[in-house]
Amino acid sequence: MELLKLKEYQERSYEERPSNDGYVQYGDDNLFPQYLIDLYKSSATHNALCTSIAYMIFGDGVQANTLEARLKIEEWGLQDEVRKACLDLKIQGGFALEVVYSIDRTTISKVRHCPFENIRSGEVDEDEKVNYYYYSKDWNNKQIEPELVCGFNPEKAVEHPVQILYVKPFSPGSYYYPKPDYIGSIDYIELDKEIGKYHINNIKNGLAPSFSIHFKNGVPSQEERFKIRNDIERQLAGATNAGKFIVTYSDSPERKPDFEPFPLSDADKQYQFLSSEVSDKIMVGHRVVSSAMFGVKTAGQLGNTQELEIASELFDKQVVKPYQRVVKDALERVFNAAGTPTVVSVEEVPPMEPVEA
């Protein structure tokens, strides 16, 4: 008897390695940013946390302390671009802005969000500085030639009027690409995704086989087996409830089939535990102080107003404000290059406060 080999989970690689085309690959297939987007779309818990925290980072938007800078914010439509950048910052661990200089190269005419997943870093020079980046709308398509774009450098505005400001906070073990703060919980985000697939497929297949039909009058041809199964499905299960039985064949003098019921298992309890465990670990990966902040009740926690207020303040100090400083520093570099130096702030939404009676 031949035993089937169980499928082994392979963790997605985020290795950085030079390619033959000048850019540094991000992951074995150079598609790790796209993989992070797939996780964002596939896990309800992870999606909600990324979206909510990105909104917290952006808060009430970008503010400046000079009139000239405030006019630039309006001219560039910077609020919408920074809002997109904040979501990239949360999902990818960094973000990119396209900076377009004016015709006379004396100021900046446009600042636009550049999708982080479309950018790959060039290799460092002898001064350990990245001077160029590579842009492609589809890195999975090898027929598309990536576009070479100069890194942000106001001194090169004349020869490179379009530049990329690549914002990459420090990540241990990484040189070219940042890592999101939830990198340690990616396995649990994957598990959340797979649990959803399991339940969908289980429901589509009638939840579980309820019995088996064992024919003992020999093994017919493959074509006959398909015909027998289709006939039983039409008579017994129906088109929307197919897959609730197993058909087997064997050589035996007895021609009457046996109907054997399957006992129900406690799989529901196992998946209830997994669902709770996955949710908890994803919350930890995102450094959530209290799950009640995001509308998730936890057993043993009252979730009263005082607890929520303290949790909100801690989360704001430990997670939101450090992200806002990253955005603030990047924008001040842009305003300085535009000739309108200013102090930029990202207006945060006030932490949760008790409601007065």
Side-chain angles (χ1 to χ4, degrees), residues 113-133:
H113 162 261
C114 188
F116 192 87
E117 68 273 14
N118 293 347
I119 305 294
R120 296 295 181 273
S121 175
E123 295 186 51
V124 295
D125 59 16
E126 60 274 8
D127 297 323
E128 296 189 352
K129 182 179 179 182
V130 177
N131 294 310
Y132 294 93
Y133 293 89

Side-chain angles (χ1 to χ4, degrees), residues 202 206-211 244 261-270:
N202 205 13
L207 294 181
S210 53
F211 58 87
K244 289 201 69 175
F262 278 102
L264 294 176
S265 68
D266 60 351
D268 58 330
K269 296 179 181 178
Q270 297 176 24

Side-chain angles (χ1 to χ4, degrees), residues 281-332:
K281 290 298 189 291
I282 294 176
M283 291 280 183
V284 171
H286 283 277
R287 298 178 288 162
V288 173
V289 177
S290 171
S291 58
M293 290 174 54
F294 297 89
V296 179
K297 293 184 179 180
T298 304
Q301 292 185 2
L302 297 177
N304 58 43
T305 305
Q306 185 177 9
E307 289 179 357
L308 289 176
E309 180 186 2
I310 294 172
S312 178
E313 290 178 353
L314 285 173
F315 190 77
D316 183 64
K317 291 178 181 178
Q318 296 176 357
V319 178
V320 177
K321 283 184 177 176
Y323 273 132
Q324 289 179 333
R325 281 196 292 270
V326 172
V327 176
K328 172 182 178 296
D329 292 345
L331 293 180
E332 287 184 353

